mmCIF file of all heavy atoms in Angstrom:
data_model
loop_
_atom_site.group_PDB
_atom_site.id
_atom_site.type_symbol
_atom_site.label_atom_id
_atom_site.label_comp_id
_atom_site.label_asym_id
_atom_site.label_seq_id
_atom_site.Cartn_x
_atom_site.Cartn_y
_atom_site.Cartn_z
ATOM 1 N N LEU A 1 14.694 6.410 7.532
ATOM 2 C CA LEU A 1 13.912 6.506 8.764
ATOM 3 C C LEU A 1 12.520 7.067 8.480
ATOM 4 O O LEU A 1 11.532 6.654 9.107
ATOM 5 C CB LEU A 1 14.641 7.379 9.788
ATOM 6 C CG LEU A 1 15.922 6.770 10.386
ATOM 7 C CD1 LEU A 1 16.624 7.789 11.265
ATOM 8 C CD2 LEU A 1 15.595 5.510 11.191
ATOM 9 N N CYS A 2 12.421 8.006 7.531
ATOM 10 C CA CYS A 2 11.105 8.548 7.142
ATOM 11 C C CYS A 2 10.258 7.462 6.484
ATOM 12 O O CYS A 2 9.054 7.363 6.743
ATOM 13 C CB CYS A 2 11.279 9.741 6.200
ATOM 14 S SG CYS A 2 11.944 11.221 6.988
ATOM 15 N N TYR A 3 10.881 6.648 5.626
ATOM 16 C CA TYR A 3 10.163 5.525 5.019
ATOM 17 C C TYR A 3 9.727 4.529 6.086
ATOM 18 O O TYR A 3 8.621 3.981 6.039
ATOM 19 C CB TYR A 3 11.039 4.835 3.973
ATOM 20 C CG TYR A 3 10.854 5.357 2.575
ATOM 21 C CD1 TYR A 3 11.552 6.477 2.134
ATOM 22 C CD2 TYR A 3 9.963 4.749 1.697
ATOM 23 C CE1 TYR A 3 11.387 6.967 0.848
ATOM 24 C CE2 TYR A 3 9.789 5.232 0.413
ATOM 25 C CZ TYR A 3 10.500 6.346 -0.006
ATOM 26 O OH TYR A 3 10.311 6.835 -1.276
ATOM 27 N N ALA A 4 10.621 4.275 7.050
ATOM 28 C CA ALA A 4 10.284 3.354 8.131
ATOM 29 C C ALA A 4 9.094 3.875 8.928
ATOM 30 O O ALA A 4 8.196 3.111 9.302
ATOM 31 C CB ALA A 4 11.495 3.161 9.042
ATOM 32 N N LYS A 5 9.084 5.185 9.185
ATOM 33 C CA LYS A 5 7.979 5.802 9.923
ATOM 34 C C LYS A 5 6.661 5.632 9.169
ATOM 35 O O LYS A 5 5.648 5.207 9.750
ATOM 36 C CB LYS A 5 8.277 7.290 10.125
ATOM 37 C CG LYS A 5 7.099 8.127 10.612
ATOM 38 C CD LYS A 5 6.671 7.736 12.003
ATOM 39 C CE LYS A 5 5.491 8.589 12.473
ATOM 40 N NZ LYS A 5 5.024 8.180 13.810
ATOM 41 N N MET A 6 6.661 5.937 7.872
ATOM 42 C CA MET A 6 5.424 5.863 7.093
ATOM 43 C C MET A 6 4.994 4.411 6.880
ATOM 44 O O MET A 6 3.800 4.106 6.877
ATOM 45 C CB MET A 6 5.618 6.558 5.742
ATOM 46 C CG MET A 6 5.868 8.061 5.850
ATOM 47 S SD MET A 6 4.637 8.915 6.878
ATOM 48 C CE MET A 6 3.141 8.640 5.908
ATOM 49 N N ALA A 7 5.965 3.506 6.718
ATOM 50 C CA ALA A 7 5.632 2.089 6.534
ATOM 51 C C ALA A 7 5.015 1.505 7.794
ATOM 52 O O ALA A 7 4.148 0.625 7.728
ATOM 53 C CB ALA A 7 6.874 1.304 6.150
ATOM 54 N N ALA A 8 5.455 1.988 8.956
ATOM 55 C CA ALA A 8 4.886 1.519 10.212
ATOM 56 C C ALA A 8 3.527 2.153 10.476
ATOM 57 O O ALA A 8 2.671 1.554 11.131
ATOM 58 C CB ALA A 8 5.840 1.835 11.363
ATOM 59 N N THR A 9 3.322 3.348 9.950
ATOM 60 C CA THR A 9 2.047 4.046 10.144
ATOM 61 C C THR A 9 0.981 3.510 9.206
ATOM 62 O O THR A 9 -0.169 3.298 9.602
ATOM 63 C CB THR A 9 2.226 5.560 9.906
ATOM 64 O OG1 THR A 9 3.228 6.060 10.791
ATOM 65 C CG2 THR A 9 0.917 6.307 10.161
ATOM 66 N N TYR A 10 1.358 3.299 7.936
ATOM 67 C CA TYR A 10 0.432 2.770 6.938
ATOM 68 C C TYR A 10 1.008 1.475 6.391
ATOM 69 O O TYR A 10 1.995 1.495 5.646
ATOM 70 C CB TYR A 10 0.221 3.770 5.802
ATOM 71 C CG TYR A 10 -0.414 5.056 6.250
ATOM 72 C CD1 TYR A 10 0.342 6.229 6.313
ATOM 73 C CD2 TYR A 10 -1.750 5.115 6.618
ATOM 74 C CE1 TYR A 10 -0.238 7.418 6.730
ATOM 75 C CE2 TYR A 10 -2.331 6.297 7.033
ATOM 76 C CZ TYR A 10 -1.563 7.446 7.089
ATOM 77 O OH TYR A 10 -2.136 8.622 7.504
ATOM 78 N N THR A 11 0.436 0.374 6.735
ATOM 79 C CA THR A 11 0.985 -0.935 6.360
ATOM 80 C C THR A 11 0.455 -1.443 5.022
ATOM 81 O O THR A 11 0.759 -2.561 4.621
ATOM 82 C CB THR A 11 0.663 -1.981 7.451
ATOM 83 O OG1 THR A 11 -0.754 -2.036 7.652
ATOM 84 C CG2 THR A 11 1.335 -1.602 8.759
ATOM 85 N N GLU A 12 -0.336 -0.610 4.306
ATOM 86 C CA GLU A 12 -0.842 -1.033 3.001
ATOM 87 C C GLU A 12 0.293 -1.018 1.973
ATOM 88 O O GLU A 12 1.266 -0.277 2.091
ATOM 89 C CB GLU A 12 -1.968 -0.102 2.517
ATOM 90 C CG GLU A 12 -3.266 -0.217 3.293
ATOM 91 C CD GLU A 12 -3.274 0.634 4.569
ATOM 92 O OE1 GLU A 12 -2.194 1.167 4.910
ATOM 93 O OE2 GLU A 12 -4.326 0.743 5.197
ATOM 94 N N THR A 13 0.152 -1.852 0.934
ATOM 95 C CA THR A 13 1.105 -1.857 -0.166
ATOM 96 C C THR A 13 0.990 -0.552 -0.944
ATOM 97 O O THR A 13 -0.098 -0.040 -1.160
ATOM 98 C CB THR A 13 0.815 -3.044 -1.107
ATOM 99 O OG1 THR A 13 1.074 -4.252 -0.396
ATOM 100 C CG2 THR A 13 1.694 -2.993 -2.342
ATOM 101 N N GLY A 14 2.122 -0.022 -1.402
ATOM 102 C CA GLY A 14 2.060 1.186 -2.212
ATOM 103 C C GLY A 14 3.335 2.001 -2.166
ATOM 104 O O GLY A 14 3.892 2.368 -3.179
ATOM 105 N N GLY A 15 3.828 2.312 -0.980
ATOM 106 C CA GLY A 15 5.033 3.116 -0.893
ATOM 107 C C GLY A 15 4.736 4.597 -1.046
ATOM 108 O O GLY A 15 3.725 5.110 -0.566
ATOM 109 N N ALA A 16 5.645 5.310 -1.740
ATOM 110 C CA ALA A 16 5.613 6.770 -1.777
ATOM 111 C C ALA A 16 4.292 7.338 -2.300
ATOM 112 O O ALA A 16 3.784 8.328 -1.765
ATOM 113 C CB ALA A 16 6.776 7.279 -2.619
ATOM 114 N N TRP A 17 3.750 6.723 -3.364
ATOM 115 C CA TRP A 17 2.519 7.292 -3.911
ATOM 116 C C TRP A 17 1.374 7.184 -2.910
ATOM 117 O O TRP A 17 0.534 8.086 -2.816
ATOM 118 C CB TRP A 17 2.140 6.598 -5.231
ATOM 119 C CG TRP A 17 1.626 5.191 -5.080
ATOM 120 C CD1 TRP A 17 2.326 4.043 -5.229
ATOM 121 C CD2 TRP A 17 0.290 4.790 -4.740
ATOM 122 N NE1 TRP A 17 1.525 2.949 -5.008
ATOM 123 C CE2 TRP A 17 0.262 3.377 -4.706
ATOM 124 C CE3 TRP A 17 -0.881 5.473 -4.467
ATOM 125 C CZ2 TRP A 17 -0.876 2.650 -4.410
ATOM 126 C CZ3 TRP A 17 -2.030 4.751 -4.164
ATOM 127 C CH2 TRP A 17 -2.018 3.352 -4.138
ATOM 128 N N PHE A 18 1.334 6.102 -2.126
ATOM 129 C CA PHE A 18 0.265 5.934 -1.137
ATOM 130 C C PHE A 18 0.432 6.932 0.007
ATOM 131 O O PHE A 18 -0.553 7.504 0.498
ATOM 132 C CB PHE A 18 0.269 4.505 -0.601
ATOM 133 C CG PHE A 18 -0.878 4.216 0.324
ATOM 134 C CD1 PHE A 18 -2.155 4.045 -0.165
ATOM 135 C CD2 PHE A 18 -0.675 4.135 1.702
ATOM 136 C CE1 PHE A 18 -3.225 3.793 0.691
ATOM 137 C CE2 PHE A 18 -1.725 3.878 2.560
ATOM 138 C CZ PHE A 18 -3.010 3.712 2.057
ATOM 139 N N TYR A 19 1.674 7.158 0.429
ATOM 140 C CA TYR A 19 1.916 8.134 1.481
ATOM 141 C C TYR A 19 1.507 9.536 1.007
ATOM 142 O O TYR A 19 0.962 10.325 1.782
ATOM 143 C CB TYR A 19 3.395 8.139 1.878
ATOM 144 C CG TYR A 19 3.942 6.781 2.239
ATOM 145 C CD1 TYR A 19 5.281 6.458 2.021
ATOM 146 C CD2 TYR A 19 3.137 5.791 2.805
ATOM 147 C CE1 TYR A 19 5.793 5.211 2.350
ATOM 148 C CE2 TYR A 19 3.633 4.534 3.127
ATOM 149 C CZ TYR A 19 4.965 4.255 2.891
ATOM 150 O OH TYR A 19 5.460 3.028 3.217
ATOM 151 N N ALA A 20 1.800 9.839 -0.275
ATOM 152 C CA ALA A 20 1.417 11.139 -0.833
ATOM 153 C C ALA A 20 -0.099 11.302 -0.851
ATOM 154 O O ALA A 20 -0.627 12.375 -0.519
ATOM 155 C CB ALA A 20 1.989 11.289 -2.243
ATOM 156 N N TYR A 21 -0.798 10.230 -1.237
ATOM 157 C CA TYR A 21 -2.260 10.287 -1.276
ATOM 158 C C TYR A 21 -2.829 10.509 0.118
ATOM 159 O O TYR A 21 -3.710 11.344 0.328
ATOM 160 C CB TYR A 21 -2.807 8.995 -1.881
ATOM 161 C CG TYR A 21 -4.324 8.998 -2.038
ATOM 162 C CD1 TYR A 21 -4.906 9.393 -3.232
ATOM 163 C CD2 TYR A 21 -5.150 8.624 -0.984
ATOM 164 C CE1 TYR A 21 -6.288 9.406 -3.378
ATOM 165 C CE2 TYR A 21 -6.531 8.637 -1.119
ATOM 166 C CZ TYR A 21 -7.092 9.026 -2.319
ATOM 167 O OH TYR A 21 -8.456 9.050 -2.443
ATOM 168 N N GLU A 22 -2.340 9.755 1.077
ATOM 169 C CA GLU A 22 -2.857 9.850 2.434
ATOM 170 C C GLU A 22 -2.555 11.198 3.080
ATOM 171 O O GLU A 22 -3.377 11.747 3.805
ATOM 172 C CB GLU A 22 -2.274 8.719 3.303
ATOM 173 C CG GLU A 22 -2.833 7.346 2.984
ATOM 174 C CD GLU A 22 -4.312 7.237 3.292
ATOM 175 O OE1 GLU A 22 -4.752 7.771 4.322
ATOM 176 O OE2 GLU A 22 -5.043 6.640 2.478
ATOM 177 N N ALA A 23 -1.373 11.729 2.806
ATOM 178 C CA ALA A 23 -0.962 12.967 3.474
ATOM 179 C C ALA A 23 -1.483 14.218 2.779
ATOM 180 O O ALA A 23 -1.845 15.191 3.445
ATOM 181 C CB ALA A 23 0.561 13.020 3.560
ATOM 182 N N PHE A 24 -1.548 14.189 1.447
ATOM 183 C CA PHE A 24 -1.805 15.427 0.716
ATOM 184 C C PHE A 24 -2.951 15.363 -0.290
ATOM 185 O O PHE A 24 -3.316 16.382 -0.872
ATOM 186 C CB PHE A 24 -0.520 15.867 -0.001
ATOM 187 C CG PHE A 24 0.666 15.945 0.905
ATOM 188 C CD1 PHE A 24 1.716 15.038 0.779
ATOM 189 C CD2 PHE A 24 0.737 16.899 1.908
ATOM 190 C CE1 PHE A 24 2.817 15.093 1.622
ATOM 191 C CE2 PHE A 24 1.836 16.969 2.760
ATOM 192 C CZ PHE A 24 2.874 16.060 2.612
ATOM 193 N N GLY A 25 -3.532 14.177 -0.530
ATOM 194 C CA GLY A 25 -4.693 14.107 -1.403
ATOM 195 C C GLY A 25 -4.439 13.414 -2.729
ATOM 196 O O GLY A 25 -3.342 12.934 -3.018
ATOM 197 N N ARG A 26 -5.491 13.381 -3.549
ATOM 198 C CA ARG A 26 -5.466 12.600 -4.780
ATOM 199 C C ARG A 26 -4.456 13.119 -5.806
ATOM 200 O O ARG A 26 -3.716 12.337 -6.402
ATOM 201 C CB ARG A 26 -6.867 12.588 -5.416
ATOM 202 C CG ARG A 26 -6.922 11.754 -6.689
ATOM 203 C CD ARG A 26 -8.304 11.735 -7.314
ATOM 204 N NE ARG A 26 -8.282 10.967 -8.541
ATOM 205 C CZ ARG A 26 -8.364 9.642 -8.614
ATOM 206 N NH1 ARG A 26 -8.485 8.942 -7.500
ATOM 207 N NH2 ARG A 26 -8.324 9.011 -9.766
ATOM 208 N N TYR A 27 -4.392 14.435 -6.028
ATOM 209 C CA TYR A 27 -3.503 14.953 -7.062
ATOM 210 C C TYR A 27 -2.033 14.661 -6.768
ATOM 211 O O TYR A 27 -1.306 14.164 -7.649
ATOM 212 C CB TYR A 27 -3.714 16.453 -7.270
ATOM 213 C CG TYR A 27 -2.724 17.049 -8.224
ATOM 214 C CD1 TYR A 27 -2.734 16.689 -9.575
ATOM 215 C CD2 TYR A 27 -1.760 17.953 -7.787
ATOM 216 C CE1 TYR A 27 -1.797 17.205 -10.456
ATOM 217 C CE2 TYR A 27 -0.828 18.479 -8.659
ATOM 218 C CZ TYR A 27 -0.851 18.105 -9.991
ATOM 219 O OH TYR A 27 0.072 18.619 -10.855
ATOM 220 N N PRO A 28 -1.527 14.928 -5.543
ATOM 221 C CA PRO A 28 -0.145 14.527 -5.243
ATOM 222 C C PRO A 28 0.064 13.016 -5.381
ATOM 223 O O PRO A 28 1.119 12.567 -5.843
ATOM 224 C CB PRO A 28 0.065 14.987 -3.791
ATOM 225 C CG PRO A 28 -0.898 16.112 -3.629
ATOM 226 C CD PRO A 28 -2.101 15.712 -4.434
ATOM 227 N N GLY A 29 -0.952 12.224 -4.996
ATOM 228 C CA GLY A 29 -0.848 10.776 -5.165
ATOM 229 C C GLY A 29 -0.732 10.397 -6.626
ATOM 230 O O GLY A 29 0.031 9.485 -6.998
ATOM 231 N N PHE A 30 -1.476 11.093 -7.476
ATOM 232 C CA PHE A 30 -1.399 10.868 -8.926
ATOM 233 C C PHE A 30 0.000 11.189 -9.441
ATOM 234 O O PHE A 30 0.606 10.405 -10.181
ATOM 235 C CB PHE A 30 -2.438 11.741 -9.626
ATOM 236 C CG PHE A 30 -2.372 11.703 -11.126
ATOM 237 C CD1 PHE A 30 -3.106 10.774 -11.840
ATOM 238 C CD2 PHE A 30 -1.579 12.610 -11.830
ATOM 239 C CE1 PHE A 30 -3.054 10.743 -13.231
ATOM 240 C CE2 PHE A 30 -1.513 12.586 -13.215
ATOM 241 C CZ PHE A 30 -2.258 11.647 -13.909
ATOM 242 N N GLN A 31 0.523 12.362 -9.042
ATOM 243 C CA GLN A 31 1.841 12.785 -9.500
ATOM 244 C C GLN A 31 2.919 11.781 -9.079
ATOM 245 O O GLN A 31 3.755 11.371 -9.896
ATOM 246 C CB GLN A 31 2.186 14.168 -8.926
ATOM 247 C CG GLN A 31 1.501 15.320 -9.627
ATOM 248 C CD GLN A 31 2.195 15.683 -10.935
ATOM 249 O OE1 GLN A 31 3.133 15.016 -11.364
ATOM 250 N NE2 GLN A 31 1.720 16.729 -11.581
ATOM 251 N N ILE A 32 2.909 11.367 -7.826
ATOM 252 C CA ILE A 32 3.930 10.441 -7.345
ATOM 253 C C ILE A 32 3.715 9.062 -7.956
ATOM 254 O O ILE A 32 4.674 8.311 -8.164
ATOM 255 C CB ILE A 32 3.925 10.371 -5.804
ATOM 256 C CG1 ILE A 32 4.154 11.759 -5.229
ATOM 257 C CG2 ILE A 32 5.005 9.426 -5.302
ATOM 258 C CD1 ILE A 32 5.415 12.443 -5.724
ATOM 259 N N GLY A 33 2.453 8.713 -8.268
ATOM 260 C CA GLY A 33 2.190 7.464 -8.985
ATOM 261 C C GLY A 33 2.861 7.453 -10.346
ATOM 262 O O GLY A 33 3.476 6.451 -10.750
ATOM 263 N N ILE A 34 2.766 8.576 -11.069
ATOM 264 C CA ILE A 34 3.440 8.701 -12.359
ATOM 265 C C ILE A 34 4.948 8.530 -12.199
ATOM 266 O O ILE A 34 5.608 7.788 -12.942
ATOM 267 C CB ILE A 34 3.129 10.078 -12.996
ATOM 268 C CG1 ILE A 34 1.681 10.137 -13.489
ATOM 269 C CG2 ILE A 34 4.094 10.381 -14.145
ATOM 270 C CD1 ILE A 34 1.407 9.372 -14.755
ATOM 271 N N PHE A 35 5.513 9.220 -11.214
ATOM 272 C CA PHE A 35 6.960 9.148 -11.014
ATOM 273 C C PHE A 35 7.401 7.776 -10.504
ATOM 274 O O PHE A 35 8.521 7.345 -10.768
ATOM 275 C CB PHE A 35 7.411 10.256 -10.058
ATOM 276 C CG PHE A 35 7.560 11.606 -10.720
ATOM 277 C CD1 PHE A 35 6.577 12.570 -10.609
ATOM 278 C CD2 PHE A 35 8.686 11.890 -11.468
ATOM 279 C CE1 PHE A 35 6.711 13.800 -11.227
ATOM 280 C CE2 PHE A 35 8.836 13.121 -12.098
ATOM 281 C CZ PHE A 35 7.845 14.086 -11.979
ATOM 282 N N SER A 36 6.512 7.084 -9.767
ATOM 283 C CA SER A 36 6.838 5.720 -9.322
ATOM 284 C C SER A 36 6.981 4.785 -10.511
ATOM 285 O O SER A 36 7.891 3.942 -10.563
ATOM 286 C CB SER A 36 5.756 5.202 -8.370
ATOM 287 O OG SER A 36 5.693 5.965 -7.187
ATOM 288 N N TRP A 37 6.069 4.929 -11.466
ATOM 289 C CA TRP A 37 6.158 4.124 -12.688
ATOM 290 C C TRP A 37 7.391 4.521 -13.491
ATOM 291 O O TRP A 37 8.149 3.656 -13.967
ATOM 292 C CB TRP A 37 4.900 4.304 -13.531
ATOM 293 C CG TRP A 37 5.027 3.811 -14.938
ATOM 294 C CD1 TRP A 37 5.222 2.527 -15.337
ATOM 295 C CD2 TRP A 37 4.997 4.612 -16.133
ATOM 296 N NE1 TRP A 37 5.306 2.466 -16.720
ATOM 297 C CE2 TRP A 37 5.169 3.732 -17.233
ATOM 298 C CE3 TRP A 37 4.817 5.972 -16.378
ATOM 299 C CZ2 TRP A 37 5.185 4.184 -18.550
ATOM 300 C CZ3 TRP A 37 4.831 6.424 -17.691
ATOM 301 C CH2 TRP A 37 5.018 5.523 -18.755
ATOM 302 N N LEU A 38 7.644 5.833 -13.602
ATOM 303 C CA LEU A 38 8.791 6.299 -14.379
ATOM 304 C C LEU A 38 10.117 5.885 -13.761
ATOM 305 O O LEU A 38 11.108 5.713 -14.474
ATOM 306 C CB LEU A 38 8.739 7.824 -14.527
ATOM 307 C CG LEU A 38 7.761 8.342 -15.579
ATOM 308 C CD1 LEU A 38 7.647 9.856 -15.502
ATOM 309 C CD2 LEU A 38 8.190 7.910 -16.980
ATOM 310 N N LEU A 39 10.133 5.715 -12.442
ATOM 311 C CA LEU A 39 11.357 5.227 -11.805
ATOM 312 C C LEU A 39 11.735 3.869 -12.380
ATOM 313 O O LEU A 39 12.911 3.603 -12.668
ATOM 314 C CB LEU A 39 11.156 5.131 -10.292
ATOM 315 C CG LEU A 39 12.345 4.557 -9.497
ATOM 316 C CD1 LEU A 39 13.594 5.405 -9.710
ATOM 317 C CD2 LEU A 39 12.000 4.474 -8.014
ATOM 318 N N GLY A 40 10.741 3.004 -12.580
ATOM 319 C CA GLY A 40 11.000 1.706 -13.194
ATOM 320 C C GLY A 40 11.423 1.835 -14.646
ATOM 321 O O GLY A 40 12.335 1.135 -15.102
ATOM 322 N N VAL A 41 10.786 2.750 -15.386
ATOM 323 C CA VAL A 41 11.113 2.941 -16.803
ATOM 324 C C VAL A 41 12.550 3.426 -16.971
ATOM 325 O O VAL A 41 13.318 2.910 -17.798
ATOM 326 C CB VAL A 41 10.138 3.942 -17.453
ATOM 327 C CG1 VAL A 41 10.520 4.185 -18.913
ATOM 328 C CG2 VAL A 41 8.697 3.441 -17.370
ATOM 329 N N ILE A 42 12.915 4.440 -16.188
ATOM 330 C CA ILE A 42 14.270 5.003 -16.300
ATOM 331 C C ILE A 42 15.301 3.996 -15.811
ATOM 332 O O ILE A 42 16.397 3.887 -16.381
ATOM 333 C CB ILE A 42 14.364 6.323 -15.519
ATOM 334 C CG1 ILE A 42 13.356 7.338 -16.073
ATOM 335 C CG2 ILE A 42 15.769 6.909 -15.623
ATOM 336 C CD1 ILE A 42 13.227 8.604 -15.239
#
């Protein structure tokens, strides 16, 4: 439901890292971007 809320609020492609950037700034967006890539690696 939280993902649904954020996806409806921000319709740009990106997911968690984009929500982190929009809500908390560049550094959290960077961190979640790293973990988004690592999710695929793991």
Side-chain angles (χ1 to χ4, degrees):
L1 290 174
C2 290
Y3 268 85
K5 168 66 180 178
M6 295 309 296
T9 302
Y10 297 108
T11 57
E12 290 84 351
T13 294
W17 72 262
F18 185 74
Y19 307 150
Y21 183 94
E22 288 295 320
F24 308 111
R26 182 180 178 82
Y27 174 67
F30 174 90
Q31 283 281 5
I32 302 305
I34 288 285
F35 280 100
S36 296
W37 165 64
L38 282 172
L39 177 59
V41 177
I42 300 171

